[in-house]
């Protein structure tokens, strides 16, 4: 079989992979900020909720999380009379987002705690509320520090999308396995897949670098 015939189905899978990676990364960033900020909250309940979420999703395998959401959660829902069945793409996006969000939450928490305490004291002297100090003083200084790590997490999330093929989601890895089973041409198929993942990672890295430079201007403006 001509290797050029592999390209169209692999591109279809790559489109699904890109969609899952983009949506799960954006949703994961939301989780990261919500729970990262939550871990620094003055409320003990909010801190504990954030800690539980972070530790569970950092301390367990992404593959197990994916299987639990896809296979176990619907059964748990049946036991209590609630329909908790979701489509494979919804489960894939949610599992990836929850996982990357837990790691990102620690990045957010660390960056916020690295802000000079004098900044908070100055905000208090200016009669800022805790929320005003967070959003007007701390976050604008902390976000530029988060960006390099967020870039690494986004690329890692892209690579982790290959796991969604295990719940029959027709992403790049799933399409590659189908073609390999039909053609028995493992070398060519997986070489093409390597190139495609690498190309997507390069594009994502370039975008994150641009975003990092854009956000980095905040530091210079504030300086």
């Amino acid at each position: 079989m001509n290797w050029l015939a592999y390209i169209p189905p692999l591109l279809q899978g790559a489109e699904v992979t890109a969609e899952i990676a983009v949506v799960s990364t954006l949703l994961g960033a939301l989780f990261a900020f919500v729970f990262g900020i939550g871990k620094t909250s003055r409320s003990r309940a909010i801190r504990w909720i954030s800690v539980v979420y972070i530790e569970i999703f950092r301390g367990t395998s992404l593959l197990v999380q994916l299987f639990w959401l896809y296979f176990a959660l619907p059964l748990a829902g049946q036991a209590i009379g609630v329909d908790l069945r979701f489509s494979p793409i919804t489960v894939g996006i949610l599992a990836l987002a929850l996982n990357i969000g837990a790691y990102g939450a620690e990045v957010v928490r660390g960056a916020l705690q690295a802000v000079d305490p004098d900044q908070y004291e100055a905000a208090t002297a200016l009669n800022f509320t805790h929320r005003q100090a967070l959003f007007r003083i701390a976050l604008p200084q902390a976000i530029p520090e988060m960006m390099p790590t967020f870039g690494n997490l986004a690329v890692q999330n892209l690579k982790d999308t290959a796991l969604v093929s295990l719940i029959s989601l027709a992403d790049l890895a799933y399409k590659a396995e189908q073609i390999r089973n039909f053609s028995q041409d493992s070398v060519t198929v997986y070489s093409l897949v390597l190139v495609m993942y690498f190309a997507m990672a390069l594009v994502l890295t370039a975008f994150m670098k641009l975003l990092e430079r854009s956000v980095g201007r905040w530091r210079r403006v504030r300086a």
Side-chain angles (χ1 to χ4, degrees):
M1 187 174 182
N2 191 325
W3 67 270
L4 290 174
Y6 304 156
I7 300 297
L10 289 178
L11 287 176
Q12 290 176 358
E15 183 178 351
V16 174
T17 292
E19 178 185 352
I20 293 170
V22 169
V23 177
S24 62
T25 298
L26 292 174
L27 184 58
L30 176 62
F31 289 148
F33 277 95
V34 168
F35 290 100
I37 293 172
K39 197 171 179 181
T40 66
S41 172
R42 293 176 175 177
S43 167
R44 180 176 296 180
I46 293 175
R47 285 201 309 273
W48 272 105
I49 291 171
S50 300
V51 167
V52 169
Y53 160 73
I54 291 169
E55 294 306 320
I56 287 176
F57 285 94
R58 289 177 69 214
T60 57
S61 165
L62 172 57
L63 181 60
V64 175
Q65 295 164 18
L66 185 67
F67 283 172
W68 193 89
L69 288 172
Y70 190 67
F71 296 111
L73 184 61
L75 296 176
Q78 286 180 7
I80 59 174
V82 179
D83 185 5
L84 295 177
R85 292 173 298 175
F86 300 101
S87 65
I89 192 166
T90 300
V91 171
I93 288 171
L94 184 59
L96 289 164
L98 287 168
N99 188 267
I100 191 178
Y103 287 95
E106 280 296 278
V107 176
V108 173
R109 189 270 310 161
L112 287 174
Q113 291 183 340
V115 174
D116 191 335
D118 290 344
Q119 299 288 327
Y120 292 104
E121 293 177 9
T124 301
L126 292 171
N127 205 30
F128 280 21
T129 65
H130 179 71
R131 180 174 298 179
Q132 288 174 323
L134 174 64
F135 287 100
R136 295 187 184 183
I137 304 296
L139 276 175
Q141 296 180 64
I143 288 177
E145 305 299 329
M146 304 173 193
M147 293 310 298
T149 307
F150 274 170
N152 292 335
L153 289 175
V155 173
Q156 182 62 49
N157 190 55
L158 169 64
K159 294 185 289 184
D160 286 342
T161 59
L163 293 175
V164 302
S165 64
L166 298 174
I167 57 171
S168 302
L169 193 55
D171 71 325
L172 180 54
Y174 185 85
K175 291 287 188 179
E177 186 62 17
Q178 283 187 320
I179 296 170
R180 189 200 68 82
N181 288 336
F182 175 75
S183 67
Q184 297 300 308
D185 188 3
S186 300
V187 174
T188 303
V189 171
Y190 286 119
S191 295
L192 289 170
V193 171
L194 279 175
V195 171
M196 288 184 174
Y197 271 112
F198 182 61
M200 287 189 286
L202 283 180
V203 172
L204 180 57
T205 300
F207 174 77
M208 294 303 295
K209 289 290 185 183
L210 287 173
L211 186 60
E212 183 181 336
R213 282 200 291 269
S214 177
V215 172
R217 296 194 187 102
W218 299 0
R219 187 188 295 111
R220 292 194 293 271
V221 169
R222 294 185 67 83

